[in-house]
């Protein structure tokens, strides 16, 4: 069987930096069709487990997420210190190497990580110049993200060196919150790498907790979203570990 150029290139990059998004087709193959090497999705389906996560989020981030219908939490271990990993998380070039930029194009507002716009397939104008969005729903931009809490340095009382950026999502289909969270690993939880990266999203479709009325759309969306998120985290792990080893850095927590 003849391998594609992308496939051969991905194999050669397995021990290097992940390559940046090159095309919609490449993004679909890398982020949607490809099975992630390391599963990252945390179980949050049962009422008891979800309630536990809601309690943890209240403790860590001092906010309630009980009013949101969708909750997806992903976690991956990284063999690098939490301080190093978090700074990579905020580095724009690192983000571009790990994100499906042709499917969901990221744009920084005012040139920083605190305010982002996401455009479906990079489209910044309405299709065919239509005056209204598709079926009355916002699609340009797909949504916006504005940082409402940023903790770059852990509090003295934090036992696990937590760092995070918390975004408010609005202006499109996800109306809710998105959080990128980094902490030191906890031995009691069986975590072996130096750090843990957690990506969590809680939201309502278009701000409506009961939309859509059928679970078919929710299920389809979650399956794609979870596959993409898992591949993003796997690529981010690869990037952090490669760069940390290449730097030969000794980073204090």
């Amino acid at each position: 069987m003849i391998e594609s150029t992308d496939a051969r290139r991905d194999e050669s990059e397995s021990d290097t930096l992940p390559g940046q998004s090159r095309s919609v087709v490449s993004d679909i193959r890398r982020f949607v069709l490809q099975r992630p090497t390391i599963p990252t999705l945390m179980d949050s389906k049962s009422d008891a487990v979800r309630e536990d996560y809601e309690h943890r989020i209240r403790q860590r981030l001092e906010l309630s997420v009980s009013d949101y219908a969708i909750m997806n939490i992903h976690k991956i271990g990284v063999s690098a210190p939490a301080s190093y990993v978090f700074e990579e998380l905020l580095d724009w070039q690192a983000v571009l190497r790990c994100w499906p930029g042709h499917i969901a194009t990221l744009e920084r507002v005012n040139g920083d990580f605190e305010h982002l716009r996401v455009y479906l397939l990079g489209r910044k104008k309405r299709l065919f110049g239509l005056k209204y969005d598709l079926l009355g729903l916002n699609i340009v931009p797909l949504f916006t993200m504005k940082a409402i809490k940023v903790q770059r340095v852990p509090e003295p009382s934090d036992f696990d060196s937590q760092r995070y950026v918390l975004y408010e999502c609005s202006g499109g289909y996800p109306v809710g919150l998105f959080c990128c969270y980094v902490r030191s690993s906890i031995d009691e939880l069986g975590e072996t790498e130096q750090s843990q990266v957690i990506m969590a999203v809680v939201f309502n479709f278009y701000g409506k907790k009961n939309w859509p009325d059928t679970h078919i759309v929710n299920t389809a969306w979650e399956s794609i979203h979870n596959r993409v998120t898992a591949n993003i985290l796997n690529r981010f792990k690869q990037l952090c570990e490669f760069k940390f080893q290449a730097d030969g850095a000794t980073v204090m927590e």
Side-chain angles (χ1 to χ4, degrees):
M1 187 171 79
I2 300 175
E3 292 182 307
S4 68
T5 302
D6 281 348
R8 291 195 300 272
R9 187 176 292 123
D10 281 352
E11 183 178 356
S12 67
E13 290 176 352
S14 61
D15 295 322
T16 62
L17 291 174
Q20 289 188 202
S21 170
R22 295 191 297 274
S23 68
V24 172
V25 173
S26 176
D27 282 357
I28 291 174
R29 184 182 55 77
R30 285 175 163 182
F31 293 92
V32 180
L33 300 180
Q34 179 173 297
R35 184 184 298 274
T37 303
I38 301 172
T40 63
L41 181 63
M42 308 288 287
D43 176 31
S44 60
K45 294 299 182 183
S46 71
D47 291 341
V49 172
R50 168 147 184 165
E51 184 177 345
D52 180 56
Y53 280 130
E54 289 178 357
H55 176 67
R56 295 189 199 184
I57 291 171
R58 281 195 300 270
Q59 281 188 319
R60 299 281 183 155
L61 304 180
E62 298 180 349
L63 56 85
S64 173
V65 297
S66 59
D67 289 335
Y68 297 106
I70 304 297
M71 173 185 285
N72 293 114
I73 301 175
H74 290 254
K75 183 180 77 168
I76 198 167
V78 179
S79 297
S83 57
Y84 187 92
V85 172
F86 188 72
E87 290 306 313
E88 288 297 325
L89 189 65
L90 301 183
D91 181 87
W92 188 242
Q93 294 305 312
V95 171
L96 294 180
R97 286 185 176 274
C98 301
W99 186 269
H102 280 80
I103 293 178
T105 305
L106 289 175
E107 177 185 80
R108 293 188 296 181
V109 179
N110 300 323
D112 62 41
F113 69 89
E114 295 188 359
H115 193 183
L116 305 173
R117 294 192 185 105
V118 183
Y119 296 93
L120 180 63
L121 304 177
R123 178 170 292 278
K124 296 185 180 181
K125 295 182 179 180
R126 291 183 174 90
L127 188 64
F128 306 127
L130 294 176
K131 185 177 179 180
Y132 301 104
D133 288 312
L134 181 65
L135 301 178
L137 304 176
N138 294 329
I139 57 173
V140 180
L142 192 60
F143 60 95
T144 63
M145 298 167 58
K146 187 174 183 179
I148 55 176
K149 288 186 179 182
V150 181
Q151 183 166 307
R152 299 186 73 149
V153 179
E155 299 290 340
S157 58
D158 291 341
F159 68 92
D160 55 8
S161 300
Q162 66 174 6
R163 296 162 169 86
Y164 62 85
V165 55
L166 176 66
Y167 291 97
E168 180 180 54
C169 300
S170 61
Y173 79 87
V175 177
L177 302 166
F178 172 68
C179 185
C180 297
Y181 187 98
V182 181
R183 63 167 173 77
S184 300
S185 292
I186 300 173
D187 292 340
E188 289 77 6
L189 297 179
E191 298 168 345
T192 56
E193 293 89 350
Q194 249 180 304
S195 305
Q196 299 293 317
V197 180
I198 299 165
M199 285 190 177
V201 58
V202 288
F203 72 94
N204 295 325
F205 278 106
Y206 296 99
K208 301 176 182 178
K209 192 171 183 178
N210 61 347
W211 190 95
D213 292 331
T214 175
H215 294 293
I216 296 176
V217 175
N218 280 354
T219 301
W221 177 88
E222 284 192 291
S223 64
I224 296 173
H225 169 82
N226 288 328
R227 173 63 65 88
V228 171
T229 303
N231 278 309
I232 288 172
L233 282 177
N234 273 260
R235 291 171 70 83
F236 184 65
K237 171 185 172 70
Q238 176 189 340
L239 179 143
C240 288
E241 293 178 349
F242 175 82
K243 290 186 68 175
F244 184 67
Q245 292 175 11
D247 289 344
T250 302
V251 182
M252 299 299 292
E253 292 288 349

